[in-house]
Amino acid sequence: MKKLINDIPDVVKEQLEGMAVAHPDALSVHFEPNYVYRADAPVAGKVAIISGGGSGHEPMHGGFVGMGMLDAACPGEVFTSPTPDQMYEAARAVDGGAGVLFIVKNYTGDVLNFETAAELAHADGIKVQNILIDDDVAVKDSLYTAGRRGVGTTVLAEKIVGAAAEAGYDLDKCADLCRKVNMYGRSMGMALTSCTVPAAGKPTFELGEDEMEIGIGIHGEPGQKRMSLTSADEITAMMTAEILDDGPYSRTVREWDRDNAEWVDKSLTDAPFKSGDQVIAFVNSMGGTPVSELYAVYRKLAEICEARGVKIVRNLIGPYITSLEMAGFSITLLKADDEILKFWDAPVNTPGLRWGA
Amino acid sequence: MKKLINDIPDVVKEQLEGMAVAHPDALSVHFEPNYVYRADAPVAGKVAIISGGGSGHEPMHGGFVGMGMLDAACPGEVFTSPTPDQMYEAARAVDGGAGVLFIVKNYTGDVLNFETAAELAHADGIKVQNILIDDDVAVKDSLYTAGRRGVGTTVLAEKIVGAAAEAGYDLDKCADLCRKVNMYGRSMGMALTSCTVPAAGKPTFELGEDEMEIGIGIHGEPGQKRMSLTSADEITAMMTAEILDDGPYSRTVREWDRDNAEWVDKSLTDAPFKSGDQVIAFVNSMGGTPVSELYAVYRKLAEICEARGVKIVRNLIGPYITSLEMAGFSITLLKADDEILKFWDAPVNTPGLRWGA
Amino acid sequence: MSVTRDQIVAWLEESATVLMANKELLTQLDSAIGDADHGINMARGFTKVMEKLPTVADKDIGNILKTTGMTLISSVGGASGPLYGTFYMRSGMAIGSKEELTDEDLFQLLKTGADGIIQRGRAQLGDKTMIDAWLPALDALRAALDDHAGTVAAVRAAVNAAEQGVQDTIPLQARKGRASYLGERSIGHQDPGATSTFLILKALLTTLEDD
Amino acid sequence: MSVTRDQIVAWLEESATVLMANKELLTQLDSAIGDADHGINMARGFTKVMEKLPTVADKDIGNILKTTGMTLISSVGGASGPLYGTFYMRSGMAIGSKEELTDEDLFQLLKTGADGIIQRGRAQLGDKTMIDAWLPALDALRAALDDHAGTVAAVRAAVNAAEQGVQDTIPLQARKGRASYLGERSIGHQDPGATSTFLILKALLTTLEDD
Ligand SMILES: Nc1ncnc2c1ncn2[C@@H]1O[C@H](COP(=O)(O)OP(=O)(O)O)[C@@H](O)[C@H]1O
Ligand SMILES: Nc1ncnc2c1ncn2[C@@H]1O[C@H](COP(=O)(O)OP(=O)(O)O)[C@@H](O)[C@H]1O
Ligand SMILES: [Mg+2]
Ligand SMILES: [Mg+2]
Ligand SMILES: [Mg+2]
Ligand SMILES: [Mg+2]
């Protein structure tokens, strides 16, 4: 294992310490429980946007804390979901009176811990809502399973909903927007190499010199299928097809009913992409793939979208939701209406994403 | 070799095509000869800043083309310096009448090709000047050699001088500022892994599982020494010491005398860092190292600088001047006076670096 | 016969002991169909519980159980943390300030706790989760109590049913948790969470038998 | 004896031939103390020169040489591109519109070209560069011409001196170019650029001998 780390138990803590000294203007870090929060939190009257999950996906989530995006991020151990006390304490720290939206990637551990946190926050009189991100088309069947994983769309949702909160949206409107973004976004990822969890010390899976793993998640878990390595154009075409050809997707999500203080099931079905759609295209590095290679991918993606009548109106290209040092990439397409574009273009000032400020 | 590429001869071309479709608002790409240029070039009355060098260091230089930074970038083949016709044509395309500053990394090939380009541009009546960046403290002796390589300071110089040009500095003032930035900046790099030039197909050098290479350049060339891998803190301490303990550095550079149309030697000596200095700290990934690990490095770097009385007033952390997919990092410290800070903070809007716009 | 506050404390201690003793086994089971951390998670959680226990050992049973739940929730993470945490929180709320439990109380303790897990995790029998150990155990316990079997005998019946439930997870395809991403590849492996549930029930039996 | 425009064209063609024939050798020499591309660079450059040559083969010698220089500059890159490019540009300027060269013209051609390389690259004798082939060759040529040796004999003397110069680069420590980063590790290796210079001079001799 070749990493720039010290003692393995300190890896996450020391990286958070580094963030804190590097970006005092944007954010602060609280330890025990661990959470990164906006330097100027709580922002009175603004809905607070909080996300979190296992560490190892940097800059997500901690790097997205700041004006126009997240109010707080709760990092667990590497690839392990955080505990409810982190989200609960973070909510108490950043709630500006307008309530807290938890953006939760759909993994059982994350879901359950965020749900517990929501109950604790609610008991404290904090207005709270949980919205799931489950955009990974590599996971097919969903009716009786844990469903699709939350991947690339998470980054776009944090940016867009963060801007909406900044613009004065109330909690329900933020939740509605976040739900819409999730239903409009679909992703697919692949790996050229595995990654190594520090505590494990060896790669999570082995890949041959001419093999690649298609349909991976973001925790170094094996993917949908293993194939022999081929050209950037062929890989991009295959993954883009998985996204564009993916049919309607139905699942039941659980959201919080504030009035009756109980969880209610919501059945959601989102529509496939169709010719004429406007999209934000997000080409993401899994960590070890340099941006130069992402441009070769983007070139082909743009060509295919054009041929399919899908209009790319914005893009994001780089390492934003990673799996440690894994080489590989993911493509996320997000159907973008005027509301989404307006908040995408709005100023954001975080260590990991910045424009207009 | 595991890369997201198609045919090897097309690698650079296709990556440039990807950039062009991805960032039409910021830049355009001209092929044969290859150069990336500002979408709104030429900017009348503004000094044009042009840089270039071998490809494989992305986002440098092409990703830094845009408002507040470069007017054009000339990419050679991977790790091979571009040819003078690229810089010459780029100069003709972006000169807004106020002249062109070539920012050149100190490698014989780059230096000679940019000098030829300067002569060609001068012959066309374009005001031109070449300023060298030679900041790599890993190269010791310089008096009778090609001297120090140009590395991390290049990124900072492009940002700062780009902002000065935007603010109306004339060619001589831009050149003076660039020269000062180079003399104020020092860098040191290390590698955890080698990198693979597509045309070569195999790693440029071999490193054992528990080995690292200290004092590398940015072309996958072996470094100053090979050591057994140690902790992030020890590596950071060693590299920071190399920078802070480096003595005065003297070299002779060649600059263009516009009036007499000839090259004149300039002897320059820069001073070591001292307690009380204010610096911009730049922790750079060589490509394959994720930003999370850079924060562990930054944490230690900040601690050491504080102990040495060197005050970090700004920082830049991420992959900005890379060696393909090489894992490793470099540290650059740039002594920052008010003029440098003012232009560092000024708005920049490029695919690779953006703030305030 | 009744179950005392001290026996509940002893049960939690015995649970910690067996879970740590089976840390490797649980992690290895999780590596086959999950992310190889269930043993680590349970060990981390119950180590914390052991640290906390002395501070509440003299409080009422509801308090002891709720503290255990809170400790697991704030130290385990993953899926099993909130699930087992909910088990003890809910059972603690159900028992409240009692310092001694009737057989019926003991059944309610386990039943309410397991219901909490189901409510939280929404797993059904046959989804290849810890529920596949809890439900058979509760049915067996209910039946035994209705037959006026003694406490120990009834709990033994529950433990045997749980053990069978664990075996029965092997041929199942996971429909909940991480294992569900594997689809058919999850078939043929024993569920780690069901296994830890069996161990916790076995710890209860051991405790009661000791007296 | 005089050197005709056609012989200059033949020299450039012969240069291309020998450089391509020695592509592997030059690259391998460069891999020891550089970045393993000198043979590739020279081959790329002279392939382009061969493409361009027909379009100017009927022009004056200065024009032919300048076109060669421009072609190398815009196709080679690296250090050798501008250096060899400068050689032909400068020699072309020196020769101007001539269509036939006296021995003295030939000397001036080579001398002005080499001076251009020195001006551009600022290398001195002993820096372990192509200069270590050019300077001895020019000295030998000058001496031979002063001794009224014939053109071919004088050029042969120059080639032999260049060959010796290449050998003499082996024990040197590089002070210019990429090899200089290696410091002492550059000692014991033959300089690739000096080698290509020798090959270019040898090509001239071959051409003159053929007639
Ligand atoms: N929705 C659920 N309901 C009940 N139990 C579940 C559910 N999801 C997962 N589990 C249990 O959790 C166990 C895995 O726990 P653990 O490995 O600690 O968490 P994680 O899967 O987050 O790493 C599984 O073996 C399963 O028994
Ligand atoms: N400053 C210089 N002056 C003269 N010749 C030089 C100089 N620097 C390098 N060379 C020559 O160039 C050769 C290397 O050429 P090449 O490998 O094509 O370029 P690069 O070093 O950029 O890859 C060296 O062997 C040396 O003879
Ligand atoms: Mg697990
Ligand atoms: Mg886990
Ligand atoms: Mg070379
Ligand atoms: Mg080269």
Side-chain angles (χ1 to χ4, degrees):
Chain A
M1 171 171 60
K2 298 185 114 176
K3 293 176 185 290
L4 298 163
I5 57 175
N6 297 307
D7 296 344
I8 284 164
D10 303 334
V11 167
V12 171
K13 179 174 132 289
E14 293 181 343
Q15 292 175 352
L16 290 172
E17 287 169 356
M19 283 200 74
V21 284
H23 311 295
D25 306 342
L27 54 84
S28 306
V29 177
H30 182 281
F31 292 96
E32 294 180 354
N34 296 354
Y35 57 89
V36 182
Y37 61 103
R38 245 174 96 152
D40 60 352
V43 181
K46 183 184 92 64
V47 172
I49 312 298
I50 298 181
S51 192
S55 293
H57 309 301
E58 292 69 21
M60 184 185 85
H61 299 277
F64 298 143
V65 171
M67 192 281 289
M69 212 160 166
L70 297 179
D71 292 82
C74 303
E77 281 304 307
V78 173
F79 294 167
T80 302
S81 62
T83 54
D85 54 318
Q86 292 175 260
M87 289 74 94
Y88 168 62
E89 293 291 342
R92 286 161 48 104
V94 302
D95 176 31
V100 173
L101 179 71
F102 288 138
I103 300 180
V104 185
K105 299 194 296 304
N106 187 38
Y107 299 92
T108 304
D110 291 34
V111 171
L112 299 181
N113 284 287
F114 268 94
E115 283 179 357
T116 306
E119 293 168 13
L120 294 171
H122 179 92
D124 266 19
I126 298 176
K127 286 202 232 89
V128 62
Q129 185 53 282
N130 291 23
I131 297 294
L132 286 189
I133 305 295
D134 57 348
D135 61 319
D136 185 354
V137 301
V139 180
K140 293 300 171 203
D141 158 39
S142 73
L143 236 33
Y144 308 103
T145 74
R148 291 184 166 176
R149 299 171 290 213
V151 286
T153 300
T154 314
V155 175
L156 309 183
E158 290 174 4
K159 164 65 183 88
I160 291 159
V161 179
E166 210 70 54
Y169 267 36
D170 66 19
L171 181 55
D172 292 334
K173 285 182 69 180
C174 285
D176 293 341
L177 176 59
C178 194
R179 196 183 304 107
K180 179 173 81 173
V181 168
N182 180 48
M183 295 186 53
Y184 281 8
R186 295 180 173 194
S187 302
M188 180 79 183
M190 68 81 65
L192 289 172
T193 68
S194 180
C195 59
T196 299
V197 175
K202 55 176 177 32
T204 313
F205 58 88
E206 288 299 344
L207 263 182
E209 236 321 293
D210 49 13
E211 287 182 319
M212 61 181 175
E213 190 82 19
I214 300 290
I216 53 155
I218 55 174
H219 300 97
E221 59 269 58
Q224 199 182 50
K225 54 175 177 286
R226 184 163 298 197
M227 303 176 63
S228 54
L229 185 57
T230 163
S231 71
D233 282 356
E234 282 172 40
I235 297 168
T236 304
M238 174 169 50
M239 289 175 54
T240 307
E242 289 268 0
I243 293 172
L244 292 178
D245 299 340
D246 187 53
Y249 176 68
S250 303
R251 77 289 232 176
T252 302
V253 301
R254 188 148 57 163
E255 295 186 8
W256 183 244
D257 175 340
R258 284 203 297 285
D259 306 330
N260 307 309
E262 64 183 17
W263 294 100
V264 292
D265 283 352
K266 263 212 169 82
S267 294
L268 304 176
T269 300
D270 49 52
F273 288 101
K274 57 182 185 332
S275 176
D277 283 347
Q278 292 202 336
V279 299
I280 297 174
F282 172 28
V283 177
N284 172 66
S285 166
M286 300 309 292
T289 287
V291 67
S292 51
E293 294 178 33
L294 298 183
Y295 279 112
V297 169
Y298 185 82
R299 168 183 164 278
K300 186 67 180 178
L301 172 65
E303 181 187 308
I304 296 168
C305 285
E306 168 134 41
R308 298 278 300 250
V310 172
K311 190 163 192 307
I312 299 177
V313 291
R314 302 287 188 280
N315 62 63
L316 182 67
I317 301 168
Y320 293 100
I321 169 173
T322 60
S323 294
L324 298 169
E325 75 287 352
M326 172 183 283
F329 73 102
S330 63
I331 294 173
T332 298
L333 294 180
L334 172 65
K335 186 178 161 195
D337 58 20
D338 294 348
E339 182 186 34
I340 287 173
L341 283 181
K342 176 173 125 214
F343 292 125
W344 176 256
D345 292 339
V348 58
N349 185 353
T350 73
L353 203 66
R354 184 171 179 182
W355 56 72
Chain B
M1 170 171 63
K2 298 184 112 176
K3 293 177 186 289
L4 299 163
I5 57 176
N6 298 308
D7 296 344
I8 285 165
D10 303 335
V11 167
V12 170
K13 178 176 132 287
E14 293 181 342
Q15 291 174 354
L16 291 172
E17 287 169 354
M19 283 201 74
V21 283
H23 310 294
D25 306 343
L27 54 83
S28 306
V29 178
H30 182 282
F31 292 95
E32 295 183 355
N34 297 354
Y35 57 89
V36 182
Y37 61 103
R38 250 176 92 151
D40 60 352
V43 181
K46 184 183 91 66
V47 172
I49 312 298
I50 298 181
S51 192
S55 293
H57 308 301
E58 292 68 22
M60 187 184 83
H61 301 275
F64 298 143
V65 171
M67 191 279 292
M69 211 157 168
L70 296 180
D71 291 82
C74 304
E77 280 305 306
V78 173
F79 294 167
T80 301
S81 62
T83 54
D85 53 319
Q86 293 176 260
M87 289 74 95
Y88 167 64
E89 293 293 341
R92 286 161 47 102
V94 302
D95 177 30
V100 173
L101 179 71
F102 288 138
I103 299 180
V104 185
K105 300 194 298 303
N106 187 39
Y107 299 91
T108 304
D110 292 34
V111 171
L112 299 182
N113 285 287
F114 269 94
E115 284 179 356
T116 307
E119 293 168 13
L120 295 170
H122 179 91
D124 268 18
I126 297 175
K127 287 202 233 93
V128 61
Q129 185 53 283
N130 292 24
I131 297 295
L132 285 189
I133 304 295
D134 59 347
D135 61 318
D136 184 357
V137 301
V139 179
K140 293 300 171 200
D141 157 39
S142 72
L143 234 34
Y144 309 102
T145 73
R148 289 182 167 178
R149 298 171 290 214
V151 285
T153 299
T154 314
V155 175
L156 310 182
E158 291 174 3
K159 163 66 183 88
I160 291 159
V161 179
E166 211 69 54
Y169 268 35
D170 67 18
L171 181 55
D172 291 334
K173 285 183 70 181
C174 285
D176 293 342
L177 176 59
C178 193
R179 195 184 304 106
K180 179 173 81 175
V181 168
N182 179 47
M183 294 186 57
Y184 280 8
R186 293 180 174 193
S187 303
M188 180 79 183
M190 68 81 65
L192 290 172
T193 67
S194 181
C195 59
T196 299
V197 176
K202 54 176 178 32
T204 313
F205 58 87
E206 287 301 342
L207 263 180
E209 237 320 294
D210 50 11
E211 287 182 319
M212 61 180 174
E213 190 83 19
I214 300 290
I216 52 155
I218 54 173
H219 300 96
E221 59 268 58
Q224 200 182 50
K225 52 176 179 283
R226 185 161 296 198
M227 302 176 62
S228 54
L229 186 57
T230 162
S231 71
D233 282 357
E234 281 170 42
I235 297 168
T236 305
M238 174 169 51
M239 292 180 40
T240 308
E242 289 267 1
I243 294 172
L244 291 178
D245 299 341
D246 186 54
Y249 176 68
S250 302
R251 78 291 231 175
T252 303
V253 301
R254 186 148 58 163
E255 295 185 9
W256 183 245
D257 176 339
R258 284 201 297 284
D259 306 330
N260 307 311
E262 64 183 16
W263 295 99
V264 293
D265 283 353
K266 262 214 171 81
S267 295
L268 304 176
T269 300
D270 50 51
F273 289 101
K274 57 182 186 329
S275 175
D277 283 347
Q278 292 201 335
V279 299
I280 297 173
F282 172 28
V283 176
N284 172 67
S285 165
M286 300 309 293
T289 287
V291 67
S292 50
E293 294 178 32
L294 298 182
Y295 279 112
V297 168
Y298 185 82
R299 168 183 165 279
K300 186 65 180 180
L301 172 65
E303 181 186 308
I304 296 168
C305 285
E306 169 136 40
R308 296 279 299 254
V310 173
K311 189 162 193 307
I312 299 177
V313 290
R314 300 288 188 281
N315 62 63
L316 182 68
I317 301 168
Y320 293 100
I321 169 173
T322 61
S323 294
L324 298 169
E325 74 287 353
M326 172 183 282
F329 73 102
S330 64
I331 295 174
T332 298
L333 294 180
L334 172 66
K335 186 178 160 194
D337 58 20
D338 294 348
E339 183 187 33
I340 287 173
L341 283 180
K342 176 174 122 210
F343 291 125
W344 177 256
D345 293 339
V348 58
N349 186 353
T350 74
L353 204 65
R354 183 170 180 182
W355 57 71
Chain C
M1 166 193 154
S2 69
V3 178
T4 67
R5 189 251 322 277
D6 292 356
Q7 286 177 303
I8 293 297
V9 172
W11 170 36
L12 294 170
E13 291 167 345
E14 175 63 15
S15 303
T17 310
V18 292
L19 287 168
M20 297 195 200
N22 289 276
K23 180 177 169 182
E24 294 312 320
L25 168 71
L26 295 173
T27 294
Q28 173 215 317
L29 290 172
D30 194 33
S31 72
I33 54 173
D35 57 353
D37 63 2
H38 187 54
I40 298 164
N41 291 345
M42 296 304 287
R44 182 170 64 244
F46 271 84
T47 307
K48 279 255 179 291
V49 169
M50 286 302 100
E51 291 167 24
K52 271 277 166 57
L53 215 45
T55 67
V56 292
D58 55 354
K59 300 265 184 344
D60 60 61
I61 294 176
N63 197 314
I64 291 169
L65 292 170
K66 277 184 283 179
T67 305
T68 301
M70 250 316 188
T71 307
L72 290 176
I73 284 173
S74 61
S75 62
V76 175
S80 57
L83 290 169
Y84 278 119
T86 300
F87 174 89
Y88 292 102
M89 295 271 283
R90 296 292 174 85
S91 57
M93 293 177 197
I95 296 307
S97 60
K98 299 202 176 70
E99 305 222 338
E100 208 168 278
L101 308 178
T102 65
D103 290 351
E104 200 48 43
D105 292 333
L106 183 62
F107 175 78
Q108 283 311 321
L109 183 159
L110 298 172
K111 175 86 169 64
T112 335
D115 287 345
I117 295 177
I118 291 170
Q119 224 183 345
R120 173 112 284 152
R122 286 181 295 174
Q124 299 165 352
L125 193 68
D127 284 353
K128 199 181 186 101
T129 72
M130 56 177 72
I131 293 307
D132 295 330
W134 282 117
L135 293 187
L138 285 166
D139 292 345
L141 183 60
R142 178 76 273 166
L145 293 176
D146 293 345
D147 296 357
H148 311 291
T151 317
V152 173
V155 170
R156 184 173 297 115
V159 170
N160 293 336
E163 186 160 26
Q164 184 55 50
V166 170
Q167 292 309 313
D168 297 344
T169 63
I170 296 176
L172 296 173
Q173 171 169 341
R175 283 195 298 251
K176 285 280 179 286
R178 238 172 244 294
S180 67
Y181 300 132
L182 291 177
E184 300 188 337
R185 279 190 288 146
S186 64
I187 293 171
H189 300 279
Q190 176 178 327
D191 181 64
T195 309
S196 53
T197 293
F198 159 71
L199 293 171
I200 287 169
L201 287 167
K202 188 151 149 293
L204 175 60
L205 178 62
T206 313
T207 314
L208 299 178
E209 284 175 336
D210 286 359
D211 309 78
Chain D
M1 167 193 153
S2 69
V3 178
T4 66
R5 186 251 320 279
D6 294 354
Q7 286 178 305
I8 293 296
V9 171
W11 170 35
L12 294 170
E13 290 166 347
E14 175 64 15
S15 301
T17 310
V18 292
L19 287 168
M20 297 191 199
N22 289 276
K23 180 177 171 183
E24 294 313 320
L25 168 70
L26 294 173
T27 294
Q28 171 214 320
L29 291 172
D30 194 32
S31 71
I33 54 173
D35 57 354
D37 62 3
H38 187 53
I40 299 164
N41 292 345
M42 296 304 286
R44 182 171 63 243
F46 272 84
T47 306
K48 280 252 177 291
V49 169
M50 285 304 99
E51 291 167 22
K52 269 275 164 62
L53 215 44
T55 67
V56 291
D58 57 352
K59 301 257 178 351
D60 62 59
I61 294 178
N63 198 315
I64 291 169
L65 292 171
K66 275 185 284 182
T67 304
T68 302
M70 249 315 186
T71 306
L72 290 176
I73 285 175
S74 61
S75 63
V76 175
S80 56
L83 291 168
Y84 278 118
T86 301
F87 174 89
Y88 292 103
M89 296 269 284
R90 296 292 174 88
S91 56
M93 293 177 198
I95 296 308
S97 60
K98 297 201 177 69
E99 306 224 334
E100 204 168 286
L101 307 179
T102 66
D103 290 353
E104 199 50 43
D105 291 333
L106 182 63
F107 176 78
Q108 285 310 322
L109 183 161
L110 297 172
K111 175 84 170 61
T112 335
D115 287 346
I117 294 177
I118 291 171
Q119 227 184 343
R120 173 112 282 151
R122 287 181 297 172
Q124 299 166 351
L125 193 69
D127 283 354
K128 199 178 184 109
T129 71
M130 56 179 71
I131 293 307
D132 295 329
W134 282 117
L135 293 187
L138 286 165
D139 292 345
L141 182 62
R142 177 77 272 164
L145 292 177
D146 292 349
D147 296 357
H148 310 293
T151 316
V152 172
V155 169
R156 185 174 297 115
V159 169
N160 293 336
E163 185 160 26
Q164 184 55 50
V166 169
Q167 291 309 314
D168 296 345
T169 63
I170 296 175
L172 296 173
Q173 171 170 342
R175 283 197 298 251
K176 284 282 181 285
R178 237 169 244 294
S180 68
Y181 301 131
L182 293 177
E184 300 188 340
R185 280 190 288 146
S186 63
I187 293 171
H189 301 279
Q190 176 177 327
D191 181 63
T195 309
S196 52
T197 292
F198 159 71
L199 293 171
I200 287 168
L201 287 168
K202 191 151 145 294
L204 175 61
L205 179 62
T206 313
T207 315
L208 298 179
E209 283 173 338
D210 286 358
D211 310 79

